[in-house]
Amino acid sequence: MLSKALLRLGASAARHPWRVIAAWLTVATLAVLAAVALGGRTADSMTAPGLDSRRAAELIEKAGTGQEGMTAQVVVTPLDDGATFFDHGTARTALTRLRTEVRRLPHVLGASDPAGALDAGGDTAVRGGLVSADGRVAVVRVQYPDQSRLSAEDLDALVDLGDRLRPELPLRIEMGGNLFYVFSDPDGGASELVGLLAAAAILFLAFGSLVAAALPIGMAVFGLTVGVATMTVLAGVTDVPTFAPVLGSMVGLGVGIDYALFVLARHREYLARGLGPREAAGRAVATAGRPVVFAGGTVVVSILGLAVANVPFMTVGGLAVSIVVLTMVLASVTLLPAFLGAAGPRLARAGRIGRVLQTGKPGRPARRRNPAAGAAHAAGWRRWIGHVGRHPVPYAAGAAGLLLTATLPVLGLRVGLPDDGSLPHSRTERRAYDLVAEGFGPGTNGPLVIAADPAGDPGVLDRLVGAIAADPGIASVAPTHIDRATGIATLVVFPTTGPQNKATADTIARLRTDVLPTAIGHGPARAHVGGAAASLSDVGRRTSERLPVFVAAVLATSFLLLMLVFRSVLVPLKAVLLNLLSIGAAYGIMVAVFQWGWGGALVGLEATVPIVSFIPMFLFAILFGLSMDYEVFLLSRVREEYLRTGDNGTAIVEGVSRTARIITSAALIMVAVFLSFAVAEDPSTKMFGLGLATAIFVDATVVRMVLVPATMTLLGRANWWLPKWLDRLLPRGPVGTDDTDAESTGGAARPRLVDR
């Protein structure tokens, strides 16, 4: 049985702590060395098989136009506000020198020539998209080869060039492009540190001991090192999206510290009862470790379920994050009990500062803590849960109404991808974005690339250009490039609206369903709409289409797993519905903040943005798994009390009150960790951080402390109802049905409510 296996594992680790710690040090060292030797950089491939934008990319690759490679753009304007490139030779000379210097950079295949476009005449310059109509803004478009041949050093070389030339040239120089998007260091380092410090402070306040506070932090750092290093090795084999390390760090820190907190709290309970450190560690892993294994497994299964979207970068990103979570689970049942064994009896009592914080009095350290101390700490929670149990209907209705109200903004959810225009003004990418939008129009920041195969039809390209240019959503069409070897043509098209504007998505849809088919007719020619804006629009549409299937799969899997653990029908059904409420509230608050701008300044949001297309599905997977942590931890304790007493009301009051302090501390830690990422510069990181923090806060307060006791009181003994025929069908054993655990039952008869 699982509890017996965990008992042996935890006790063995506590008896031989330095061996286990040395083993983890070895694993961490090998993982880091493997990451250095075999690892790769994260890379974004925002596309998926079968999408129209993917077909366009395949045609472009076949033609070998170079547009399938990486790009950057250097945007310049004269420092003299009264000058233009047309009437100041010094500015034009500076522009020529800038382009020459850019072309000399390693791996640069070519750079556009705005000065040459000026010499060719104003109209040609404007049509070429290199110099604005008023001559105030010029763009040097830099073409690089495929991403596989580049590295962060290429981005550094371009940035260093700009830093060197700014003092020498009479130009304001800003930079952007997908070279920055791919190779800029993701947010996370400072956020991880802030999250760790906040978690350490909460742990110290919860336990009143520096040693007790340090152990979960140390375990989480070990697990995060191994997990992220393994993720880096995975990036050497396949494309791991750039958000994966940040998301992995965010989720890994949260669940790692939470899991350690659950086990550590049980360990201190056993120490208070008089057990030795080694035995207490084994028993803690056997009892609290079982919900940890199940909850971590639920997180992993939920995240791996992202594969149903059939979007490769989401599947790989989910796999990478799952590796971190799985590492934290392994650390919780092996490394943590080794730490507990090494710490010995010191964890049984708070230090002097801790006693002051917890009681207001320095006192004297006791040799052995009173077993009733834990019950005293739970007295306040016991009174609250008892109060909710005496008034279940108004509390259940009020809490459900509050969460449903918070969910309402979801009706206005719009997916997309925040572009450089949503970055803070301190970033050069944002300043370059604004200059381009000011000089050429907002659509220039999100050009569409239309790939066409004429298939022997000589007039199809002229018809395509004319039809596209006539569309009201298109501002201009650049000159057509035709590959002589394949005959494939590429047209760069500039919409009238910005890349994250809904009107741009409407233009893309209109081009595909109306404009292009009409221009091509019934002949063999074909044309597809590609480019970054089109790819992201396609991915957003696919994830929206697959989201219901994914949600149904996660709900069904979670329901079955909870039914196996708790041998009940209504408990897992209630858990699924309540988790949906907390996740829906998180979605609603995200829409209110990021799309409507409510409180956006609090997280450093400078402009409203759509919800990143893949975030709703990712958030659902992660949040549903994380919410199961508290569900399993709380209900496991309620079930223990029910099996011990046979009384549903007593089980609810005792089970919830005894876990409330730990769940509150765990939730505070997760919220602190996630909110530390919500103030990052990247809007996607902000969304992940705020969405996760909101859901965990709601789940640990409104759901666990109000809705769970209220609904379980209303259901009464039916909470544990299971039809006899279903009881016979459900397997027993390693999933968590260890009813023979003496700690769980206390030797009392174990009541069962099964239809006979």
Side-chain angles (χ1 to χ4, degrees), residues 242-263:
T242 54
F243 65 79
V246 176
L247 186 58
S249 299
M250 194 187 311
V251 175
L253 282 178
V255 301
I257 296 174
D258 260 23
Y259 295 162
L261 179 60
F262 294 158
V263 176

Side-chain angles (χ1 to χ4, degrees), residues 269 374-375 378 382 637 641 653-662:
E269 284 185 25
R382 188 179 290 108
R637 200 60 182 263
E641 295 296 329
V653 172
E654 291 299 319
V656 177
S657 62
R658 287 181 179 273
T659 56
R661 185 183 180 197
I662 299 302

Side-chain angles (χ1 to χ4, degrees), residues 138-507:
V139 178
V140 177
R141 303 188 190 279
V142 189
Q143 185 66 52
Y144 287 90
D146 185 77
Q147 179 178 326
S148 61
R149 298 169 56 188
L150 302 176
S151 69
E153 294 178 357
D154 293 284
L155 175 60
D156 293 340
L158 182 62
V159 172
D160 290 344
L161 176 65
D163 292 340
R164 178 169 61 85
L165 292 181
R166 283 188 183 96
E168 302 176 10
L169 301 179
L171 304 174
R172 175 185 165 193
I173 303 174
E174 307 295 349
M175 300 178 177
N178 57 17
L179 188 72
F180 283 80
Y181 181 76
V182 171
F183 291 113
S184 292
D185 290 332
D187 294 336
S191 298
E192 292 168 13
L193 180 60
V194 172
L196 282 172
L197 292 175
I202 295 169
L203 285 168
F204 181 58
L205 291 174
F207 291 119
S209 166
L210 288 174
V211 176
L215 295 188
I217 299 294
M219 191 214 77
V221 170
F222 261 98
L224 196 61
T225 300
V226 174
V228 173
T230 306
M231 187 188 301
T232 305
V233 174
L234 180 65
V237 179
T238 185
D239 288 341
V240 175
T242 54
F243 65 79
V246 176
L247 186 58
S249 299
M250 194 187 311
V251 175
L253 282 178
V255 301
I257 296 174
D258 260 23
Y259 295 162
L261 179 60
F262 294 158
V263 176
L264 178 58
R266 271 298 178 95
H267 177 73
R268 283 168 60 102
E269 284 185 25
Y270 290 129
L271 289 177
R273 295 181 188 180
L275 273 66
R278 296 175 180 176
E279 184 181 359
R283 297 285 287 276
V285 173
T287 51
R290 189 173 57 189
V292 164
V293 170
F294 172 76
T298 304
V299 175
V300 170
V301 170
S302 298
I303 296 176
L304 291 180
L306 291 166
V308 303
N310 194 25
V311 178
F313 79 87
M314 291 180 61
T315 302
V316 177
L319 175 61
V321 175
S322 296
I323 290 172
V324 178
V325 175
L326 185 59
T327 304
M328 291 301 182
V329 173
L330 293 175
S332 299
V333 297
T334 57
L335 180 60
L336 182 60
F339 283 164
L340 299 178
R346 285 175 293 176
L347 294 175
R349 57 185 180 269
R352 182 180 179 87
I353 297 177
R355 290 193 300 276
V356 173
L357 290 173
Q358 290 183 326
T359 67
K361 302 176 182 179
R364 291 175 61 101
R367 292 183 178 273
R368 183 171 293 172
R369 190 176 163 193
N370 186 341
H377 284 297
W381 287 109
R382 188 179 290 108
R383 287 193 296 271
W384 167 252
I385 301 304
H387 173 71
V388 172
R390 290 190 296 272
H391 310 281
V393 174
Y395 276 105
L402 176 66
L403 295 185
L404 287 172
T405 301
T407 304
L408 287 177
V410 172
L411 299 175
L413 186 145
R414 180 171 64 87
V415 298
L417 187 76
D419 50 31
D420 288 347
S422 59
L423 294 174
H425 287 279
S426 59
R427 295 276 292 268
T428 185
E429 302 100 296
R430 169 63 187 272
R431 297 192 295 269
Y433 180 98
D434 290 344
L435 277 177
V436 170
E438 176 187 335
F440 301 93
T444 312
N445 281 303
L448 306 176
V449 181
I450 297 178
D453 184 357
D457 185 345
V460 70
L461 293 181
D462 290 337
R463 297 198 302 273
L464 278 173
V465 172
I468 293 170
D471 186 87
I474 300 301
S476 62
V477 180
T480 305
H481 180 280
I482 302 176
D483 179 63
R484 293 185 178 182
T486 62
I488 295 174
T490 54
L491 297 83
V492 178
V493 176
F494 299 98
T496 57
T497 50
Q500 60 176 279
N501 196 300
K502 184 179 182 299
T504 303
D506 295 338
T507 297

Side-chain angles (χ1 to χ4, degrees), residues 559-560 562-573 639 642 717-732 737 739 751-756:
F559 176 82
L560 290 174
L562 285 172
M563 188 164 57
L564 289 174
V565 171
F566 297 112
R567 316 299 292 183
S568 165
V569 172
L570 295 181
V571 163
L573 179 61
R639 188 166 185 265
Y642 179 71
R717 285 175 59 84
N719 281 303
W720 313 109
W721 169 75
L722 185 70
K724 184 178 179 180
W725 63 269
L726 184 56
D727 186 52
R728 289 195 300 266
L729 289 177
L730 293 178
R732 298 177 183 273
T737 58
D739 291 344
R752 301 180 62 82
L753 188 60
V754 178
D755 265 354
R756 303 286 179 189

